[in-house]
Amino acid sequence: MSKVYNFCAGPAMLPEPVMEQAKEELLDWQGHGCSVMELSHRSKAFVDVAQQAEADLRELLGIPDDYRVLFTHGGGRGQFSAVPMNLSRQGQRADYLVSGSWSAAALAEAEKYLTPNRVAEVQVVDGLKRVSDASSWDLDADAAYFHYCPNETVDGIAIDGIPDTGDVPIVADMSSTILSGPLDVSRFGLIYAGAQKNIGPSGLSVVIVNDALLGQARAQTPSIFDYQLQAEQGSMFNTPPTFAWYLAGLVFKWLKTQGGVAEMHRRNAQKAAMLYGCIDDSDFYINAIHPDYRSRMNVPFQLQEPALDKLFLQQAEQAGLTALAGHRSVGGMRASIYNAMPVAGVQALVAFMQDFEKRKG
Ligand SMILES: *Cc1c(COP(=O)(O)O)cnc(C)c1O
């Protein structure tokens, strides 16, 4: 099969030069006569890979010195549990802003450990979905932390500004938005992300945590999820997902050669503007998210005639545009356009959509 533009939400496409390099050195990594995935995680060679990846990520995001970076297991959902176990005591409350299905799932998991306070909901105003205005949020000054998801991968809803929560530390699920643009890490207590959207392959999650939040884990916290322990052990308390960590490191190097997160922000804005422009210019495609809350990473859209969904997906696939089906919970279409999606991929999608609309199938 020839190369396609893969719009999958996750695991998502990776930059081609990264895949080429990984292929090139798969069997003989830097003259070691074996693969990087066959090295001990405690060998100097791998520890160098691991530390370089962390240094590059720190540089890309300007992560301050009083933050630890953990390369850990368990995906995004693992952190839904790790966060309350590490940052709250039994019986404490925490604020959860619910702006879509992932933040709702995070709240549901947190209920096992604490009493979550549902801060806000998604509203539909004049037919458009939006997050209620921050002035109406029901914030708790005694909350252990405030949790939110700046980019809802399934719903295509994004919150751009960083909320003002006073002294309550902010925890952000950035699984589908980390590295898509500049970020003031110092505003957050903790940031986490499953790797498989905008960092690398699945199996790895990255946690960026302020030192002040370490050392408070509940006694029954599994050791592999104990932030303090993992920080002390350089994320090597047990065997980390070494190949995913290595590949993430290649992605960080690639990002640096491309101009870093500022350039990613520029390209991502350009790609999103093209796609939303195509949708808004037509009476055939619909995106019912308020323009202020539209995601630049995941663009859900519906056809005015849902009976044509199947044909749309079939013909898109024939045109080399794959994985455009919306999440099973919402249906319709979704184009995920993370850092690795080139501008040309979105151009090809827009051209296909305009052509499909003209032909109506
Ligand atoms: C994909 C995703 C998750 C879940 O990640 P897993 O690694 O499958 O657990 C959580 N949050 C967000 C925002 C996501 O996009």
Side-chain angles (χ1 to χ4, degrees):
M1 194 177 184
S2 57
K3 186 84 185 141
V4 299
Y5 290 117
N6 173 9
F7 292 91
C8 187
M13 67 181 291
L14 288 165
E16 205 169 319
V18 166
M19 299 302 268
E20 286 294 344
Q21 184 177 343
K23 176 181 157 194
E24 196 60 37
E25 59 192 23
L26 184 70
L27 299 184
D28 180 9
W29 180 74
Q30 300 197 355
H32 283 250
C34 69
S35 176
V36 64
M37 71 176 108
E38 298 168 312
L39 294 175
S40 164
H41 55 297
R42 304 197 188 281
S43 63
K44 176 165 186 326
F46 187 78
V47 170
D48 286 350
V49 169
Q51 289 177 348
Q52 189 60 51
E54 176 176 338
D56 287 333
L57 179 61
R58 281 185 175 277
E59 185 184 329
L60 282 162
L61 289 178
I63 300 174
D65 289 343
D66 59 338
Y67 283 75
R68 297 306 107 216
V69 179
L70 311 180
F71 290 80
T72 174
H73 304 271
R77 280 189 186 267
Q79 295 306 312
F80 292 178
S81 324
V83 164
M85 284 191 288
N86 277 273
L87 304 189
S88 76
R89 293 183 308 278
Q90 190 78 36
Q92 233 183 339
R93 296 187 305 265
D95 280 345
Y96 276 77
L97 174 64
V98 175
S99 55
S101 58
W102 284 118
S103 47
L107 179 149
E109 185 69 15
E111 273 175 336
K112 294 179 180 172
Y113 305 97
L114 48 69
T115 308
N117 170 42
R118 204 179 177 103
V119 170
E121 308 276 342
V122 173
Q123 305 174 316
V124 180
V125 181
D126 299 330
L128 297 177
K129 281 192 197 171
R130 53 161 296 165
V131 181
S132 57
D133 200 75
S135 61
S136 71
W137 293 356
D138 173 29
L139 293 175
D140 177 357
D142 295 325
Y145 57 85
F146 168 94
H147 179 281
Y148 83 121
C149 179
N151 185 74
E152 284 283 359
T153 321
V154 171
D155 310 78
I157 294 175
I159 298 169
D160 272 344
I162 302 171
D164 178 6
T165 60
D167 293 334
V168 175
I170 300 177
V171 174
D173 175 0
M174 296 205 179
S175 294
S176 52
T177 190
I178 192 164
L179 292 165
S180 66
L183 185 66
D184 182 358
V185 173
S186 72
R187 297 279 308 279
F188 296 86
L190 187 146
I191 292 165
Y192 65 86
Q196 69 271 24
K197 276 108 190 195
N198 217 11
I199 295 179
S202 61
L204 171 73
S205 17
V206 170
V207 177
I208 302 168
V209 55
N210 186 245
D211 285 342
L213 297 179
L214 296 177
Q216 303 168 35
R218 298 183 188 198
Q220 65 273 48
T221 304
S223 301
I224 61 160
F225 283 139
D226 183 326
Y227 296 143
Q228 161 95 14
L229 183 71
Q230 286 287 24
E232 283 167 3
Q233 305 269 331
S235 303
M236 296 205 188
F237 169 70
N238 71 327
T239 316
T242 53
F243 191 67
W245 194 336
Y246 148 83
L247 256 175
L250 296 188
V251 171
F252 300 152
K253 286 270 184 249
W254 174 79
L255 284 170
K256 283 171 61 176
T257 66
Q258 298 299 298
V261 292
E263 174 62 13
M264 286 303 126
H265 180 74
R266 193 191 65 75
R267 287 186 206 170
N268 289 329
Q270 185 192 354
K271 288 183 289 180
M274 276 164 45
L275 189 45
Y276 285 115
C278 163
I279 293 167
D280 291 343
D281 287 346
S282 98
D283 297 323
F284 185 68
Y285 300 107
I286 309 158
N287 170 278
I289 313 291
H290 186 288
D292 293 350
Y293 296 89
R294 279 175 162 179
S295 167
R296 279 186 290 271
M297 296 281 98
N298 311 94
V299 182
F301 60 93
Q302 285 77 41
L303 307 191
Q304 197 67 259
E305 300 167 42
L308 293 175
D309 282 5
K310 242 181 102 182
L311 195 66
F312 180 94
L313 290 169
Q314 262 170 16
Q315 295 192 356
E317 185 141 347
Q318 281 158 12
L321 308 166
T322 66
L324 282 163
H327 189 268
R328 59 190 184 280
S329 65
V330 291
M333 316 300 158
R334 171 177 52 172
S336 295
I337 49 176
Y338 304 116
N339 289 343
M341 175 60 68
V343 172
V346 178
Q347 279 165 341
L349 174 60
V350 165
F352 170 79
M353 287 168 67
Q354 289 168 342
D355 182 54
F356 187 88
E357 179 178 358
K358 253 187 248 139
R359 293 183 285 115
K360 290 273 198 293

